[in-house]
Amino acid sequence: MSTTTPEDTPDPAPAGNDGGARPPGDGSGAPPVRRFWAVRRIPAALLAAVVLGGAGLLLYDVAAVRADRPAMAWRRELADALATRPLDDTVIVVGAAVAVALGVWLLVLALTPGLRGILPMRREHTDVRAGLDREAAAFTLRDRVMEVSGVQSVRVRVGRAKVAVRAVSHFRALDQVRADVETVLADGVDELGLAHPPAVTVRVARPPRKEGKAT
């Protein structure tokens, strides 16, 4: 399946006039092609809920103290624990490790595009962005390989930079089958219209021999 989005969707980086990928053999200027960025609504909503809840609770407690009321028990206990516990205490070390892990996770989400399952396609129009699902690309290439004479079964794995194909041939010479499979894949990858065509690796083998039953 493919997805298309209008150009008014905000990009994480400013667009350039002469950057990005160009269609093969096209000497004219082409719109820049970038990976799709995930919205990540769930992590953002969870973080916002935690920050809002913690800030609201702390603000309420501070306001209560200003109104000559005692502070909440949890804040008094937390302040006493932070003032009395040594830095090498197990609870302090575990809490710091959790905070660091959570911070690293949030930084990774903020700095990486995500949506690894969508491959950006060549841009034929400046106001349209298109992407192809990796599973859909694998099914398409698999159907093309199954049309090759001698191929009994095939497994195709499509990555962002590589397509790995394992075919089983039950007749014809393996070299001939491999050559035909490579030719079909070259045409198939080009027809997918990907902005960054992946490299293709092909392995062709015979089906496993069935052991005869003892009589």
Side-chain angles (χ1 to χ4, degrees):
M1 66 180 285
S2 62
T3 60
T4 58
T5 59
E7 183 57 26
D8 56 359
T9 302
D11 277 332
N17 293 329
D18 55 355
R22 300 175 184 271
D26 188 0
S28 60
V33 178
R34 299 182 180 88
R35 288 181 57 188
F36 290 87
W37 280 69
V39 179
R40 295 189 172 106
R41 293 185 177 91
I42 295 179
L46 292 177
L47 179 61
V50 171
V51 172
L52 181 62
L57 187 61
L58 182 61
L59 181 61
Y60 173 81
D61 192 44
V62 171
V65 172
R66 293 293 184 179
D68 297 331
R69 294 184 180 181
M72 292 183 179
W74 67 268
R75 194 158 72 94
R76 295 197 304 269
E77 294 177 0
L78 179 61
D80 293 340
L82 293 177
T84 57
R85 287 181 182 271
L87 295 179
D88 58 350
D89 186 79
T90 303
V91 176
I92 300 297
V93 173
V94 171
V98 171
V100 170
L102 181 60
V104 171
W105 177 61
L106 293 175
L107 287 175
V108 170
L109 291 180
L111 299 177
T112 56
L115 293 182
R116 298 176 60 88
I118 298 180
L119 302 174
M121 302 177 67
R122 292 194 293 264
R123 298 183 65 175
E124 304 295 340
H125 304 281
T126 57
D127 57 346
V128 176
R129 298 180 64 196
L132 182 64
D133 187 80
R134 282 165 50 177
E135 292 185 0
F139 287 142
T140 301
L141 296 178
R142 178 184 179 277
D143 292 341
R144 295 291 299 270
V145 175
M146 287 299 298
E147 297 176 356
V148 176
S149 176
V151 173
Q152 183 181 25
S153 62
V154 62
R155 295 178 60 185
V156 179
R157 295 183 60 184
V158 177
R160 291 192 297 113
K162 182 179 179 181
V163 175
V165 178
R166 293 186 177 184
V168 175
S169 175
H170 57 299
F171 70 93
R172 295 183 65 197
L174 295 182
D175 293 339
Q176 297 178 0
V177 175
R178 183 182 298 107
D180 292 345
V181 169
E182 291 176 349
T183 301
V184 167
L185 287 174
D187 296 337
V189 170
D190 183 67
E191 292 177 357
L192 292 178
L194 300 178
H196 309 286
V200 179
T201 59
V202 178
R203 295 181 60 183
V204 181
R206 294 296 186 194
R209 296 181 178 178
K210 297 181 179 180
E211 297 180 359
K213 297 182 179 180
T215 58

